[in-house]
Amino acid sequence: MTLNRRIFLGTGAATAASLAAAAVFAAGHGKPRVVVVGGGAGGATAARYIAKDSKGEIAVTLIEPTRQYYTCFFSNLYLGGFKEMDDLGHSYGSLATGGVNVVHDYAVGVDRDAKTVALASGGSVPYNKLILSPGIDFVDGAVEGWDLSAQNAMPHAYKGGSQTELLKAQLMAMPEGGTFAMVAPPNPYRCPPGPYERISMVAHYLKANNPTAKILVADPKEKFSKQSLFQEGWSNHYSGMIDWIGSDFGGGNVVVDPDAMTLSIDGEVTNVDVCNVIPAMKAGHIAELAGVTEGNWAPVNAADMSSKADADIYVLGDAAQQGDMPKSGYSANSQAKVCANAVRGALTGSKVFPAKFSNTCWSLIDTDDGVKVGATYEATPEKITKVDGFISATGESAELRKTTYEESEGWYAGITADMFGT
Ligand code: FAD
């Protein structure tokens, strides 16, 4: 990839996009090709919508290494004993029968000149439009003493599947009166309330099974999502069990030792039985390999989620630097529909609707005690901009909290059906 081409694509995005669409037809290449990398909340939704709505006019290939996608959403409820692992797993069969060419492989490179995606197995796949939704990877060296080789001793459980199961097994094996520690991540990261819902669910489990156990949270932030709601819930349900140490008290000055199973917070060393290290995050590595990242994330245009570096590449979900939306499954799904509509329009001339986005993040604090925060958004020239928001209030009735939890159950069923077509 030459510097000249990057500058051309970066500065003439709209022109480049329309020229590319025209070229697909003019060259008589048959169906335009969309390749989607990553079959999660963003990628599965985008692949499904483009295949479904284009009614076979566009050839859609989805590249995803796993055969079963385990959602991170509701994985904390699995830790708390409210869900089984099987409840979180979803396969790609319905996407395949719905017209998506599902390739179980790993994308290892993008050649933006040749417009191909290289696969770990050796082949490559050509595209006219490429959609990247690879989720997150971790920033090297973000937590002193921890790297991926330590993830079995000190799991992150911030990607779905085996890591979540490992953390649950460690929680269940804790000695009586032991210590569960969490190293919380700095902003921005996937699912802002996720670590605090996890603390709630771990506390729920321990209260029933190991009531003298303690929870220690080292946090590099001064404050966190839905803080007053969580802290109210912790004091109502788990009084005296949770010790949250924010940045004002050295929560950001952390060293872990996975061999000794110790956590040092601002120089004070504690022996821990479980240590859930959630390091700082960055866009999934393939975005970096494609050359569409700036720093840790991939900047995109709000109107269609196209990369600011390349008009034929789109970045969805956690990997994107888009503006005001939190990195959530709901956001990724919402962005994917905007992107799918725009990509279809660019390739087939179908009508493109103005971009509108929404998000809600529910969290469960204890049985039937659900809270939520959410907003609607629109595309402005600079970014995805928040229009209106809402959040649960402290002191709400038990009845309302139960309704909020039930709402989240409905959302889970709806989003997974929307992603996988099941
Ligand atoms: P993902 O869903 O992670 O999908 C990425 C996919 O890309 C993966 O399947 C991966 O295998 C694949 N991939 C990566 N690299 C490659 C490559 N090189 N080649 C091919 N495939 C690749 N969100 C909510 O909305 N509500 C919640 O309640 C909620 N709770 C959460 C709780 C926890 C504990 C966590 C960790 C997250 C939670 N989230 C929640 C956030 C949500 O899971 C993510 O924001 C969402 O999954 C992001 O979607 P995505 O498409 O960007 O990435």
Side-chain angles (χ1 to χ4, degrees):
M1 179 54 52
T2 64
L3 191 60
N4 280 346
R5 180 167 163 79
R6 282 189 185 194
I7 289 167
F8 164 68
L9 287 166
T11 53
T15 323
S18 37
L19 286 177
V24 172
F25 296 118
H29 283 164
K31 287 183 188 180
R33 297 183 187 103
V34 172
V35 173
V36 181
V37 174
T45 309
R48 176 166 171 265
Y49 269 75
I50 295 170
K52 175 171 77 67
D53 294 343
S54 74
K55 298 187 172 58
E57 271 188 77
I58 298 174
V60 183
T61 296
L62 174 66
I63 303 168
E64 164 61 50
T66 65
R67 284 171 166 73
Q68 187 85 348
Y69 175 85
Y70 286 94
T71 58
C72 284
F73 21 111
F74 275 24
S75 64
N76 289 328
L77 276 62
Y78 161 75
L79 295 177
F82 293 89
K83 297 284 164 202
E84 297 298 324
M85 205 58 195
D86 280 352
D87 298 334
L88 309 180
H90 305 271
S91 74
Y92 293 92
S94 296
L95 281 185
T97 53
V100 176
N101 174 31
V102 181
V103 176
H104 289 300
D105 208 326
Y106 200 74
V108 291
V110 175
D111 184 330
R112 281 163 47 187
D113 290 323
K115 291 199 172 182
T116 55
V117 178
L119 302 177
S121 66
S124 73
V125 188
Y127 67 84
N128 300 110
K129 297 282 189 187
L130 172 62
I131 299 173
L132 302 176
S133 195
I136 50 118
D137 275 313
F138 300 112
V139 175
D140 283 342
V143 174
E144 196 179 333
W146 191 94
D147 62 25
L148 276 180
S149 70
Q151 71 171 3
N152 260 33
M154 294 188 168
H156 52 78
Y158 236 65
K159 296 187 183 191
S162 52
Q163 275 279 303
T164 319
E165 288 179 284
L166 176 63
L167 187 64
K168 174 84 182 254
Q170 293 184 351
L171 173 66
M172 291 170 73
M174 269 175 67
E176 200 182 320
T179 300
F180 179 104
M182 173 189 281
V183 177
N187 290 320
Y189 61 94
R190 92 174 350 173
C191 194
Y196 312 100
E197 181 187 56
R198 177 171 292 172
I199 290 302
S200 310
M201 290 293 94
V202 165
H204 173 85
Y205 175 85
L206 291 174
K207 188 177 166 183
N209 297 284
N210 190 350
T212 54
K214 296 277 176 234
I215 299 174
L216 179 61
V217 188
D219 203 324
K221 305 183 288 298
E222 266 175 37
K223 52 188 173 66
F224 58 85
S225 172
K226 297 188 231 176
Q227 183 162 355
S228 55
L229 296 167
F230 280 115
Q231 287 183 329
E232 176 194 55
W234 294 348
S235 105
N236 285 346
H237 303 296
Y238 315 117
S239 179
M241 189 181 249
I242 301 165
D243 188 7
W244 176 77
I245 300 173
S247 62
D248 292 349
F249 297 93
N253 183 15
V254 159
V255 184
V256 297
D257 184 336
D259 294 324
M261 283 304 286
T262 57
L263 165 65
S264 154
I265 305 175
D266 218 18
E268 192 176 318
V269 179
T270 307
N271 291 312
V272 295
D273 299 291
V274 178
C275 193
N276 175 206
V277 176
I278 310 175
M281 294 169 208
K282 61 180 184 178
H285 188 47
I286 190 68
E288 202 177 323
L289 292 175
V292 296
T293 51
E294 250 180 53
N296 287 338
W297 307 103
V300 295
N301 297 299
D304 60 0
M305 303 302 293
S306 61
S307 160
K308 290 199 171 168
D310 187 328
D312 289 325
I313 299 183
Y314 300 73
V315 185
L316 303 178
D318 293 351
Q321 182 184 307
Q322 35 70 19
D324 295 348
M325 295 187 87
K327 296 183 186 298
S328 75
Y330 196 136
S331 295
N333 171 261
S334 178
Q335 293 160 12
K337 291 185 228 181
V338 167
C339 173
N341 181 245
V343 165
R344 197 162 61 86
L347 293 175
T348 67
S350 65
K351 185 170 165 58
V352 178
F353 298 96
K356 297 248 183 287
F357 307 88
S358 54
N359 177 63
T360 303
C361 287
W362 287 268
S363 303
L364 187 62
I365 300 178
D366 198 354
T367 309
D368 287 336
D369 191 0
V371 292
K372 63 180 173 181
V373 59
T376 55
Y377 306 83
E378 65 185 11
T380 57
E382 301 75 38
K383 62 179 176 123
I384 297 182
T385 302
K386 182 173 170 181
V387 179
D388 243 336
F390 56 87
I391 183 165
S392 299
T394 52
E396 283 173 344
S397 70
E399 195 187 353
L400 178 54
R401 291 296 177 86
K402 185 167 190 277
T403 305
T404 303
Y405 173 60
E406 285 163 1
E407 230 176 73
S408 74
E409 294 261 17
W411 168 77
Y412 186 91
I415 189 176
T416 49
D418 204 36
M419 288 164 64
F420 297 106
T422 47

